[in-house]
Amino acid sequence: MTSMRSIVVGTAGHIDHGKSALVRALTGTDPDRLKEEKARGITIDLGFAHQIIDDINFAFVDVPGHERFVKNMLAGVGGIDFVVLVVAADESVMPQTREHFDICRLLHVSAGLVALTKSDVADADMLELARLEVRELVAGSFLEGAPIVPVSARTGEGLDALRAALVGVARASGGRAVRGVTRLPIDRVFSMKGFGTVVTGTLVSGRIRVEEELAVAPGATRVKVRGVQVHGEKQREAIAGQRSAVNLAGVEVGDLARGQALVTPGAFVETRLADASVEVLPGAKPLKHGARVRFHQGTAEILGRVAVIGPLGDRSPAAFARGVSAPEDRLALQPSERLALQPSDRGFVRLRLEAPALLARGDRYILRAYSPPVTIAGGLILDPAPPRSAIRTAAALDRVRRLDFDPTAGDLASAQERAVAVMLEDAGAAGLPVTALTSRAGIDPSDAAARADALVHAKQALRAGDVLIAANVYARLEDAIVATLTEHHKRQPLSEGIPREELREQLFARGHVAVFDRALERLAAATVIAVRDRVALATHRLELTPEEERARAAIERAFREGGLKPPDAAGVAASAGVPAAVVDRMLKLLQRQKVLVKVDALLFHDAALKQLKAEVGALKAAAGAAARIDVATFKERFGVTRKFAIPLLEYLDRERVTRRMGETRVVL
Ligand SMILES: Nc1nc2c(ncn2[C@@H]2O[C@H](COP(=O)(O)OP(=O)(O)OP(=O)(O)O)[C@@H](O)[C@H]2O)c(=O)[nH]1
Ligand SMILES: [Mg+2]
């Protein structure tokens, strides 16, 4: 059965036009499963049934026609391969015929047919009139020229023709790629005796295997697949395009809901912000900047607001805003409340959602007005995780235009390339995580590493650790490092450079540490800079005046000779015959160079301290574990007064050469 072609067909159409009756006539299964549905004779929620016709496995998703349940219709229509638009011959085209059809068009459902139902109660004239109205409705759409089949669920008339038409459309529509990340928008959650938690949905991409670990998102719950059913039969795996029921371990029914999805862990972003293209329905009211809307994607409905970025084409945004004229580069100055997308307009919006959504680049979505909830627009997600940057600028408009693409066009690769370039720019110094190539740009995870390599190879980006950084951002960083060091050396010729962390804070505080490290490494390898605990230009030499040089040498000698009884600064200045200020500068320089080391308030020559450590350490070699030293023996042995002995012994403690135990010290 897995080798058999699976096709998911959705019904659509006005209430009472015979959608459910038709599904039942075709499959023998009544899709209305709820008590209330049977009692009221209407469909409230999605219904499911399946039937093999020829050698094709048809899964039907039956939707409610009632205007109050369009939200349920939207949860069902997301994953369908094609639509059967149901129009009762005796009533012809009605409001939800139009709304459902609009939704299919906005979601870019690619194929379908029209069933003229209740043919048994319509005479030839009525049938002809309905046929005409349907033709008018679908003119110029994906259903133009599609079969229009009169049928009666009551008498069975026309059912064979309808089956033939279903098979014809199915054969003409291309299969779905099974590659890609797993994604099953959940439309039902229930508990089955002896099994536990079961979710159902149309697997829109990837595959689901028994024993596999997946995530339920939003929410990031990890689950394990215990069992898989496709069309009511147990299978080892379900593949893209199949209606699937999945038995899950590790999760309670109460923790799951329609609107979540079963997905490959980590492959999607959970987001409240998305940039998208949008198309406003001809009959809708203008879509105003800031309007509160109902956002529908997959099986989810989330409240949110739209921020209008700008129009689709080259049309000036002036035409866009009622009564306001503003040239494009002044977009930022345009009063936002005036900016609106008019009926039939196409443009770009930033969606701000009130709860997280699981979105991917290329997802189709629908917008309905908050109240009354009528369908007003739909579009395509271009970036599911845009930066929180200003959108009322010409640059922002240019950015979304570069992100725009047609998922059904052949050349997806170049659209992806453009998107990655934009996202690299967005990421700036922080870098674009390689995982974002999948979660944000929609690149298959198995291709992401190769794509990252290609970007590096083409010199468009550099890789540092887990992130990619745009080549120009990186070049700017290298230039800034060199410029900053040049300036620093000019202003402070006696400094050996800038401490590494300080340089990073100054130039790259918001950048990725790995990128900064990489830049230093590269500049160091090219001998442009030298990196020790301070970063300096490789060409930088300390240029001391003769007086400074004399002072430096005198101080160094004085401290070396002083050993554990070093001189004080005033004494050095006097004996070297240089001004106190110069001595002060040289003392600091010698400390930075670690020639002199500060112990409490005293300065010692590094060599003296090293020797002290070695000699105290040697006591251990002589006396073993019993090696002890106290203040008196220390003073005597090293010939120093208490003034030096105490700080030096404490220094030895800090250096872990000794450990204080009451009045004495153990040599470690
Ligand atoms: N005479 C006749 N009646 C039909 C036919 N198909 C459906 N009906 C009747 O029309 C009414 C509505 O049928 P449904 O199949 O429930 O309509 P629906 O489109 O599913 O309605 P919703 O799901 O509520 O939108 C029922 O009373 C059916 O018996 C048909 O071919 N001929
Ligand atoms: Mg129904």
Side-chain angles (χ1 to χ4, degrees):
M1 189 177 124
T2 4
S3 60
M4 192 180 282
R5 188 85 193 282
S6 278
I7 289 283
V8 182
V9 180
T11 60
H14 197 71
I15 185 166
D16 251 7
H17 275 203
K19 297 180 291 298
S20 302
L22 190 63
V23 169
R24 186 179 180 173
L26 287 167
T27 65
T29 304
D30 183 0
D32 288 337
R33 61 204 152 80
L34 305 176
K35 266 200 203 106
E36 198 189 342
E37 290 177 324
K38 298 205 194 276
R40 289 169 65 183
I42 62 165
T43 303
I44 293 168
D45 206 348
L46 301 173
F48 307 96
H50 52 87
Q51 178 66 43
I52 296 171
I53 306 174
D54 263 20
D55 56 348
I56 300 173
N57 218 320
F58 285 91
F60 291 89
V61 178
D62 183 42
V63 307
H66 196 298
E67 62 176 320
R68 269 189 47 216
F69 307 131
V70 174
K71 123 187 192 143
N72 292 339
M73 179 271 180
L74 279 160
V77 76
I80 65 172
D81 293 298
F82 71 81
V83 64
V84 174
L85 183 63
V86 170
V87 181
D90 57 341
E91 274 196 353
S92 189
V93 173
M94 296 290 280
Q96 267 64 54
T97 318
R98 291 182 193 281
E99 187 169 14
H100 285 197
F101 174 63
D102 282 339
I103 288 169
C104 291
R105 257 184 338 136
L106 290 172
L107 290 177
H108 288 235
V109 171
S110 59
L113 56 85
V114 181
L116 282 184
T117 51
K118 308 195 186 182
S119 63
D120 56 300
V121 292
D123 58 29
D125 285 351
M126 287 162 89
L127 262 178
E128 202 39 45
L129 188 63
R131 197 188 284 272
L132 277 175
E133 287 187 358
V134 164
R135 284 222 183 92
E136 195 183 349
L137 176 72
V138 303
S141 80
F142 71 101
L143 281 183
E144 177 164 324
I148 301 177
V149 187
V151 62
S152 166
R154 184 151 299 170
T155 64
E157 187 196 355
L159 277 178
D160 282 338
L162 185 67
R163 288 192 191 96
L166 284 168
V167 169
V169 176
R171 291 213 196 289
S173 70
R176 278 191 235 198
V178 178
R179 282 181 90 225
V181 290
T182 296
R183 190 181 196 188
L184 179 134
I186 295 171
D187 51 35
R188 267 193 308 164
V189 183
F190 53 88
S191 162
M192 245 174 94
K193 229 178 172 163
F195 287 95
T197 306
V198 177
V199 299
T200 68
T202 304
L203 184 55
V204 295
S205 65
R207 47 179 83 227
I208 295 178
R209 293 191 184 90
V210 175
E211 293 296 304
E212 187 174 20
E213 282 220 13
L214 294 171
V216 176
T221 313
R222 288 302 179 99
V223 292
K224 191 165 175 188
V225 177
R226 237 194 232 150
V228 174
Q229 280 198 0
V230 176
H231 298 212
E233 277 186 44
K234 211 171 145 184
Q235 298 289 340
R236 278 216 312 281
E237 69 168 9
I239 60 170
Q242 292 180 329
R243 282 286 316 164
S244 317
V246 188
N247 182 202
L248 298 174
V251 69
E252 299 294 318
V253 169
D255 297 333
L256 302 176
R258 172 180 290 177
Q260 290 180 306
L262 194 57
V263 295
T264 304
F268 293 90
V269 278
E270 291 183 14
T271 176
R272 290 166 187 261
L273 202 66
D275 286 346
S277 66
V278 72
E279 181 185 345
V280 183
L281 284 172
K285 286 195 189 151
L287 181 60
K288 287 194 194 135
H289 185 81
R292 193 146 187 249
V293 291
R294 299 166 186 275
F295 170 83
H296 293 263
Q297 199 287 319
T299 54
E301 177 193 21
I302 300 170
L303 293 177
R305 287 187 191 277
V306 284
V308 176
I309 302 175
L312 186 73
D314 294 328
R315 194 159 56 94
S316 152
F320 211 40
R322 261 183 303 182
V324 185
S325 86
E328 199 152 320
D329 56 347
R330 302 287 291 279
L331 194 60
L333 301 177
Q334 207 167 310
S336 44
E337 66 277 11
R338 302 278 186 93
L339 199 61
L341 288 160
Q342 302 300 320
S344 300
D345 261 348
R346 283 137 66 82
F348 298 101
V349 290
R350 174 158 291 182
L351 300 160
R352 299 178 198 280
L353 304 176
E354 293 171 21
L358 188 84
L359 295 178
R361 177 168 156 84
D363 283 351
R364 302 275 182 191
Y365 69 92
I366 293 289
L367 295 181
R368 304 189 81 220
Y370 179 68
S371 178
V374 291
T375 304
I376 47 178
L380 186 71
I381 300 294
L382 301 178
D383 184 354
R388 295 192 170 274
S389 49
I391 56 162
R392 315 303 306 283
T393 62
L397 182 56
D398 176 59
R399 178 181 169 277
V400 282
R401 284 181 177 159
R402 282 158 65 207
L403 285 172
D404 196 19
F405 75 117
D406 176 1
T408 56
D411 192 15
L412 274 184
S414 72
Q416 263 176 351
E417 248 166 57
R418 266 183 294 136
V420 170
V422 169
M423 290 170 188
L424 273 171
E425 266 170 51
D426 289 345
L432 185 71
V434 175
T435 52
L437 292 181
T438 296
S439 65
R440 222 178 127 193
I443 293 169
D444 197 277
S446 58
D447 294 340
R451 188 62 68 93
D453 289 347
L455 284 164
V456 172
H457 192 74
K459 297 205 175 354
Q460 282 172 293
L462 272 104
R463 185 162 177 169
D466 296 335
V467 302
L468 291 165
I469 182 158
N472 58 347
V473 172
Y474 185 80
R476 277 205 298 277
L477 171 64
E478 287 197 351
D479 290 351
I481 291 173
V482 173
T484 305
L485 291 176
T486 308
E487 180 64 24
H488 176 79
H489 292 325
K490 203 185 307 165
R491 271 199 276 134
Q492 296 187 48
L494 289 191
S495 152
E496 298 90 296
I498 305 177
R500 191 183 173 122
E501 267 309 284
E502 204 175 302
L503 185 65
R504 193 179 68 79
E505 279 291 314
Q506 190 183 334
L507 297 180
F508 211 57
R510 293 164 63 169
H512 196 290
V513 181
V515 175
F516 183 73
D517 291 348
R518 168 87 199 265
L520 290 191
E521 258 169 48
R522 268 187 27 135
L523 289 171
T527 65
V528 176
I529 62 166
V531 184
R532 284 176 295 271
D533 22 312
R534 284 166 181 261
V535 183
L537 291 180
T539 50
H540 177 62
R541 296 284 173 272
L542 290 187
E543 303 228 342
L544 302 185
T545 62
E547 185 184 50
E548 284 167 341
E549 189 47 62
R550 211 160 8 96
R552 206 196 79 96
I555 294 166
E556 215 252 82
R557 192 174 346 103
F559 276 87
R560 185 190 299 279
E561 288 170 359
L564 295 179
K565 288 168 287 184
D568 64 26
V572 175
S575 61
V578 285
V582 177
V583 170
D584 215 51
R585 270 209 309 273
M586 292 306 104
L587 282 170
K588 288 205 177 102
L589 174 64
L590 285 163
Q591 285 178 66
R592 281 204 304 272
Q593 292 178 331
K594 299 217 171 20
V595 174
L596 297 184
V597 178
K598 203 160 200 168
V599 175
D600 291 351
L602 304 166
L603 284 173
F604 291 92
H605 199 286
D606 180 54
L609 291 175
K610 285 216 173 85
Q611 193 180 344
L612 172 67
K613 283 199 264 186
E615 282 182 32
V616 173
L619 291 177
K620 172 96 179 184
R628 296 276 188 283
I629 192 162
D630 59 21
V631 178
T633 47
F634 186 88
K635 278 163 61 183
E636 192 190 307
R637 182 176 178 104
F638 295 102
V640 295
T641 61
R642 200 175 170 81
K643 174 183 159 195
F644 296 119
I646 300 295
L648 284 171
L649 279 165
E650 284 169 2
Y651 167 77
L652 289 172
D653 290 343
R654 283 198 300 277
E655 295 285 302
R656 299 187 193 286
V657 178
T658 55
R659 189 194 308 132
R660 184 166 179 176
M661 294 190 65
E663 285 309 295
T664 185
R665 281 179 164 80
V666 186
V667 181
L668 297 173

